[in-house]
């Protein structure tokens, strides 16, 4: 793949994430990954997953039942903001070794699994539309277009995972996120919410740096 072909998806993803109008619509994809992270960790830690809602304002909520304190619920709250970036890092690793089609199909399978737990119409439409795009590219696109699309997805998750952390802290400073993941973690652990936000930032920026080193021709 040429240097131009490697850089183009990165620049396009940056434009999507940095442009307020475009980000407003594309951010729902990051919310899908965010809530999917909550849901997966809830299941893995033995909590009872009751449903997921994705809202038109790009917010979301994952409802599970279990102890209100302890390691399981802490890991669940911790997972949300870091999941898009970790998925982006995993996608970058697969793209780097040429496993583009398995990446696309794995994404479709994960979205189908998530669809079962969606509890509102906007959420269903969002997940079906995202899965439909992934399926269409994996089934109909040429290998070159699949590779370019997989690069874009990797970069979008890596870059798109960082911006919500900054948005979270901005809302917290204005008192508009009293029940954010960071503040829920603060109540459970008595560690200040700002430190949890900083942890989110370290993980997401770290994933961006590592993923970028994998994907760009340095």
């Amino acid at each position: 793949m040429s240097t131009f072909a490697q850089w183009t998806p990165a620049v396009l993803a940056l434009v999507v994430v940095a442009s307020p109008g475009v980000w407003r619509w594309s951010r729902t994809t990051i919310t899908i990954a965010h809530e999917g992270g909550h849901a997966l960790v809830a299941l893995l830690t033995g909590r009872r997953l009751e449903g997921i809602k994705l809202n038109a304002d790009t917010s979301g909520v994952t409802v599970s039942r279990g102890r209100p304190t302890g390691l399981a619920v802490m890991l669940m709250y911790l997972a949300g903001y870091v999941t898009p970036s970790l998925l982006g890092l995993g996608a970058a690793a697969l793209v780097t070794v040429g496993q583009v089609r398995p990446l696309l199909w794995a994404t479709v399978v994960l979205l189908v699994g998530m669809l079962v737990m969606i509890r509102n119409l906007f959420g269903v439409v969002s997940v079906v539309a995202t899965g439909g795009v992934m399926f269409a590219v994996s089934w109909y696109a040429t290998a070159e277009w699949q590779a370019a699309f997989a690069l874009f997805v990797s970069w979008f998750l890596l870059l798109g995972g960082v911006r919500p952390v900054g948005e979270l802290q901005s809302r917290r400073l204005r008192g508009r996120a009293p029940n954010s993941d960071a503040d829920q973690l603060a109540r459970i652990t008595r560690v200040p919410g700002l430190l949890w936000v900083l942890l989110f930032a370290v993980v997401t920026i770290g994933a961006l740096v590592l993923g970028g080193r994998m994907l760009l021709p340095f």
Side-chain angles (χ1 to χ4, degrees):
M1 183 178 291
S2 68
T3 300
F4 177 79
Q6 288 176 300
W7 276 99
T8 300
V11 173
L12 179 59
L14 179 60
V15 170
V16 169
V17 172
S19 302
V22 182
W23 173 245
R24 169 67 179 77
W25 293 103
S26 62
R27 193 186 191 283
T28 297
T29 307
I30 299 298
T31 304
I32 291 173
H34 178 117
E35 299 303 331
H38 283 316
L40 179 60
V41 172
L43 290 173
L44 292 176
T45 56
R47 295 180 64 82
R48 180 182 175 186
L49 183 61
E50 297 200 341
I52 303 168
K53 289 185 178 181
L54 304 171
N55 302 315
D57 63 358
T58 75
S59 66
V61 61
T62 298
V63 178
S64 66
R65 300 299 178 190
R67 289 182 56 193
T69 59
L71 181 61
V73 71
M74 187 181 79
L75 291 174
M76 186 190 72
Y77 283 123
L78 184 60
Y81 277 96
V82 302
T83 294
S85 295
L86 295 179
L87 288 175
L89 186 59
L94 288 174
V95 169
T96 300
V97 297
Q99 298 299 309
V100 171
R101 181 163 285 184
L103 166 62
L104 297 175
W105 277 105
T107 304
V108 172
V109 170
L110 289 173
L111 288 169
V112 170
M114 186 175 178
L115 183 62
V116 176
M117 299 308 302
I118 297 294
R119 296 293 184 262
N120 66 327
L121 179 60
F122 181 82
V124 170
V125 172
S126 299
V127 172
V128 169
T130 304
V133 171
M134 292 290 180
F135 175 80
V137 172
S138 67
W139 193 261
Y140 297 108
T142 64
E144 290 77 10
W145 278 105
Q146 287 179 5
F149 181 74
L151 279 171
F152 170 77
V153 169
S154 301
W155 278 112
F156 177 69
L157 290 169
L158 290 168
L159 292 165
V162 174
R163 180 166 177 174
V165 178
E167 293 173 343
L168 167 63
Q169 184 56 22
S170 178
R171 292 196 306 274
R172 292 183 73 249
L173 289 173
R174 297 195 302 271
R176 296 182 179 178
N179 296 312
S180 71
D181 293 349
D183 293 286
Q184 296 283 8
L185 284 164
R187 295 186 187 105
I188 294 168
T189 64
R190 300 186 184 278
V191 175
L194 177 60
L195 293 184
W196 291 108
V197 175
L198 291 175
L199 177 60
F200 297 158
V202 168
V203 174
T204 56
I205 294 172
L208 174 59
V209 171
L210 290 175
R213 292 187 65 181
M214 292 181 190
L215 296 173
L216 291 179
F218 291 117

